[in-house]
Amino acid sequence: MGQHVFLSCTADAVPEPHMNISCSEFPGLKVSVRSLEKNQYQAVIKVRPEKSGSFNFLCTARNEHGFDMKKIILSAVDPPHEGGTPTDRIEYLVIYKEHGSRDWNKFENWISSFTEGFEPEVNITDLKPNTLYEISIKSKRIREGGIGEPSPSLEAKTECGAALSQGVPAQVMLERITESSITLSWQDPPEIDLQCPLASYQVVYHPEALEILKGIRNTDAGKSKFPAELLIPTSETVPDAVDELEWTHVEDKPDLLLVSWEAPSDEKGTIKGYVTTTILLDRGQCGKSKEYDELTTRQIHSDDTEVTLQNLYPYSTYNISVQARTSAGVGESVSIEVKTS
């Protein structure tokens, strides 16, 4: 009696329900609602009965799927001894523990209600992030009466903390790789290292590496800044066609041609070289090419992006094509027709 007390009720619901705690003896209550575990919510009020007796509170929860309610009975009595008076010296001790633990922790020492500036509230620090705690208050009367029983426990969950550096996906493994896809697997990091419930992952990749990032959504913690990184080269395929294929006459050398090009815009691997194919199409004044003429088709393998074609017939038409090559094979051919002088 005459002291503040916290009352709470919880509800498991999807989606989040509208919760309220009301009592005709305490109009205009301020109700705070917070999230506990996944899909679990808690409504809390703070009241101060000024007289002894029993007070009936009603906790309600509703969402689009239905309605539920719970009755809470608060009993206010004189300080802990029959026959106590309001002038008795009362001291309080706040105790707390992690939910499920057997051992209670004391918050500092007993607090006297006769201490100057006494307020029935404390600030418990150095708690673990994202952890559910049970909190209770013990009271005792100096001289007669002794220590009373602990109050009913109040459950409260601390907010998320920043993820630790070791809170990254574990055992990242390459399961399968093709020319156009990569399949990965990994294990969830411990929630104690994330200091917040894991909501999702974000995978970020680029041509030279692939990163797996743990993502935490719908909390103040946001996305973790510590990624698990894995470098994976994809399988090579044949390259794209070469670019800007050009040719140039060599002055005073009618049997020579200089052919040049640029590497493919998408190499799709490591370029191992280039294949230049020359096909004689027309001998001009010397007549058509012969099907089995050993000079009709020639191939030149080179590492550079230019070659010099030699021993060409004058006044003749040639088809010149170039292909880039990787370990997977040669790519698409690009060709031009050229007439010697």
Side-chain angles (χ1 to χ4, degrees):
M1 185 182 72
Q3 303 295 333
H4 285 98
V5 64
F6 289 94
L7 302 177
S8 68
C9 60
T10 60
D12 296 296
V14 177
E16 180 179 350
H18 173 74
M19 299 184 69
N20 188 46
I21 301 177
S22 60
C23 177
S24 59
E25 301 282 345
F26 296 88
L29 290 173
K30 182 179 179 181
V31 183
S32 299
V33 179
R34 63 178 300 170
S35 174
L36 293 178
E37 302 292 341
K38 184 178 181 181
N39 302 326
Q40 186 178 76
Y41 304 90
Q42 181 184 61
V44 182
I45 59 171
K46 180 180 178 182
V47 296
R48 181 179 182 179
E50 299 293 345
K51 61 181 180 178
S52 61
S54 295
F55 304 92
N56 294 323
F57 293 80
L58 188 64
C59 175
T60 59
R62 72 171 69 241
N63 63 15
E64 59 193 63
H65 299 296
F67 171 83
D68 198 6
M69 61 182 178
K70 177 182 179 181
K71 187 176 181 181
I72 305 173
I73 300 177
L74 172 64
S75 296
V77 296
D78 287 336
H81 189 274
E82 185 177 353
T85 66
T87 59
D88 285 343
R89 181 179 173 183
I90 306 299
E91 293 187 349
Y92 301 93
L93 180 67
V94 177
I95 56 176
Y96 64 96
K97 65 176 184 177
E98 291 186 33
H99 182 71
S101 173
R102 299 178 59 182
D103 300 324
W104 289 88
N105 302 301
K106 295 180 182 179
F107 175 75
E108 298 182 351
N109 299 313
W110 289 89
I111 305 171
S112 174
S113 59
F114 274 67
T115 302
E116 183 178 356
F118 168 76
E119 289 291 340
E121 62 180 51
V122 295
N123 180 27
I124 305 176
T125 59
D126 298 325
L127 301 178
K128 295 180 181 179
N130 186 45
T131 303
L132 184 63
Y133 285 90
E134 297 179 36
I135 305 170
S136 182
I137 301 175
K138 301 176 72 173
S139 60
K140 70 177 180 180
R141 190 175 69 173
I142 304 303
R143 299 176 184 171
E144 297 183 15
I147 301 175
E149 292 295 322
S151 68
S153 296
L154 169 69
E155 291 188 348
K157 188 175 183 180
T158 53
E159 296 181 350
C160 289
L164 304 178
S165 59
Q166 62 266 32
V168 299
Q171 298 185 23
V172 182
M173 298 181 63
L174 175 63
E175 298 290 345
R176 183 170 178 267
I177 185 169
T178 70
E179 63 187 38
S180 60
S181 67
I182 293 173
T183 303
L184 300 173
S185 66
W186 61 85
Q187 293 184 358
D188 292 342
E191 187 170 306
I192 190 173
D193 293 335
L194 293 179
Q195 303 200 76
C196 203
L198 174 65
S200 65
Y201 290 96
Q202 182 182 26
V203 177
V204 179
Y205 64 94
H206 51 84
E208 296 180 356
L210 185 144
E211 296 179 352
I212 303 170
L213 301 179
K214 58 186 183 311
I216 304 173
R217 299 182 300 182
N218 304 323
T219 72
D220 293 337
K223 185 174 66 177
S224 170
K225 63 180 180 179
F226 300 107
E229 185 177 76
L230 187 64
L231 301 179
I232 304 173
T234 54
S235 300
E236 289 190 346
T237 60
V238 296
D240 282 355
V242 300
D243 293 326
E244 301 182 22
L245 178 59
E246 299 176 345
W247 63 275
T248 306
H249 282 298
V250 179
E251 188 175 357
D252 298 329
K253 298 287 185 179
D255 63 332
L256 300 182
L257 281 178
L258 179 63
V259 180
S260 63
W261 58 89
E262 296 291 335
S265 56
D266 189 350
E267 297 182 356
K268 297 183 178 178
T270 301
I271 298 297
K272 301 293 186 180
Y274 300 91
V275 179
T276 303
T277 303
T278 305
I279 301 175
L280 176 61
L281 300 178
D282 191 341
R283 288 285 304 276
Q285 297 176 359
C286 298
K288 298 287 185 179
S289 63
K290 296 180 180 179
E291 183 177 356
Y292 299 105
D293 188 334
E294 62 178 6
L295 298 179
T296 297
T297 302
R298 305 184 221 171
Q299 278 193 341
I300 299 176
H301 294 261
S302 66
D303 295 327
D304 297 327
T305 56
E306 65 176 28
V307 295
T308 300
L309 303 180
Q310 305 180 43
N311 301 319
L312 302 177
Y313 291 119
Y315 309 110
S316 300
T317 302
Y318 288 88
N319 178 281
I320 301 172
S321 62
V322 177
Q323 296 168 282
R325 179 172 59 87
T326 65
S327 59
V330 294
E332 181 182 350
S333 173
V334 177
S335 62
I336 55 176
E337 287 191 6
V338 179
K339 189 172 183 179
T340 59
S341 58

